[in-house]
Amino acid sequence: MPTNIVVCSDIHYIHRADHSCPIPERRTELGLTLLRSVLEKARDEIKADAVVLLGDLVDNGDASGAEDDLKELHRALEEAGLPYFAVPGNHDGEVQAFLEIFGTEPGLHQVGDATCFFFVDEYGADDVAVRDAASMQEMAEAFKKSSAARILFQHSPVLPKIESPYPYNLRDYIRVGELYDAVNVTLSVSGHYHRGMAATPLERTHYLINPALCEAPFQFTHLRVVDGAVSAEALTVALDGQCIND
């Protein structure tokens, strides 16, 4: 039986938060509606083993009322009845509060036939993600004991290098990528870069960037694991709730 994982990121939801997004392309008011459509497809059509949310679930986690918006998204996950994981992005506010709302324990989790590791990175004022060495060591030790497909999840991309004045890549992306290759990571999955990027092989590891759900064409990713191999398909949620192949 295949293992199916649905990945969403960059919802940038605003409902009760005292905040206005200055970027009109972000349909921040649609976040809950779009997520519910994804969850319906994940449950009823894809038969997902888990749903993964890769950060920037709200547009300004430090704004008054943003915690209520995070809780609203969490309720949608609970109502869908699927196992789920959520890691924070640079827009999601205080990390511990986020993790308490969604109940995700960073680190190693088995999802069907996939060995998954979830990273929670730190962000400074410059929005550059920094990863602590301890979590990298934990991942390396855990993967030594697994022969299954090895999938890593984090908010900020590791590779390839994204050329932009805005910082997208993890700070020590070269060193991190070298370690991913050393422990035979199958697929690294990120968000943060709203345009997204199809699964791309670099050395031993494939890298995929999930596109932002908050911007047209409102996409998410279906990962399918069969016999240790992982395939990825981008799917689109139309505003009427219909899901079509991209």
Side-chain angles (χ1 to χ4, degrees):
M1 290 287 291
T3 295
N4 295 292
I5 302 173
V6 165
V7 182
C8 296
S9 65
D10 301 279
I11 299 173
H12 288 269
Y13 182 47
I14 301 174
H15 181 204
R16 293 184 173 86
D18 185 14
H19 169 72
S20 296
C21 180
I23 303 173
E25 291 80 12
R26 293 181 185 173
R27 299 296 303 274
T28 58
E29 79 283 5
L30 295 177
L32 183 61
T33 298
L34 291 167
L35 178 61
R36 282 175 171 162
S37 294
V38 171
L39 293 171
E40 181 180 352
K41 298 297 178 181
R43 182 190 61 217
D44 299 341
E45 297 184 15
I46 296 173
K47 309 298 183 184
D49 295 279
V51 174
V52 176
L53 302 187
L54 289 182
D56 283 3
L57 306 190
V58 293
D59 200 59
N60 181 359
D62 294 323
S64 174
E67 184 172 313
D68 292 331
D69 291 346
L70 287 170
K71 289 178 178 178
E72 198 170 8
L73 297 174
H74 174 251
R75 282 195 295 273
L77 289 168
E78 286 286 312
E79 290 166 1
L82 294 169
Y84 59 85
F85 303 89
V87 298
N90 53 301
H91 281 259
D92 289 320
E94 205 276 317
V95 169
Q96 196 55 44
F98 179 100
L99 294 176
E100 288 176 1
I101 289 171
F102 289 95
T104 295
E105 186 70 29
L108 188 71
H109 295 270
Q110 192 70 27
V111 179
D113 291 332
T115 299
C116 302
F117 199 97
F118 296 85
F119 287 106
V120 173
D121 297 318
E122 297 182 6
Y123 292 86
D126 59 0
D127 280 343
V128 178
V130 178
R131 179 167 298 165
D132 67 280
S135 63
M136 290 292 289
Q137 184 62 32
E138 181 185 351
M139 179 272 294
E141 291 297 325
F143 277 14
K144 287 179 181 178
K145 306 171 184 177
S146 172
S147 59
R150 304 170 180 189
I151 307 177
L152 302 181
F153 294 99
Q154 60 262 297
H155 178 64
S156 285
V158 177
L159 289 167
K161 173 62 178 173
I162 299 170
E163 298 298 337
S164 171
Y166 180 80
Y168 287 106
N169 296 86
L170 196 72
R171 187 179 302 282
D172 295 326
Y173 64 93
I174 293 176
R175 178 184 60 83
V176 171
E178 289 173 348
L179 183 55
Y180 283 8
D181 288 335
V183 298
N184 295 313
V185 169
T186 308
L187 179 67
S188 170
V189 186
S190 309
H192 193 46
Y193 181 55
H194 284 202
R195 293 177 59 184
M197 182 189 75
T200 301
L202 296 173
E203 301 297 335
R204 295 180 181 179
T205 303
H206 283 67
Y207 293 87
L208 182 148
I209 304 175
N210 187 70
L213 188 63
C214 70
E215 296 182 18
F218 311 113
Q219 292 185 309
F220 65 100
T221 300
H222 172 202
L223 302 179
R224 192 169 186 267
V225 182
V226 180
D227 296 330
V230 185
S231 62
E233 182 180 14
L235 298 172
T236 301
V237 179
L239 293 182
D240 62 359
Q242 298 300 308
C243 177
I244 60 174
N245 289 334
D246 177 42

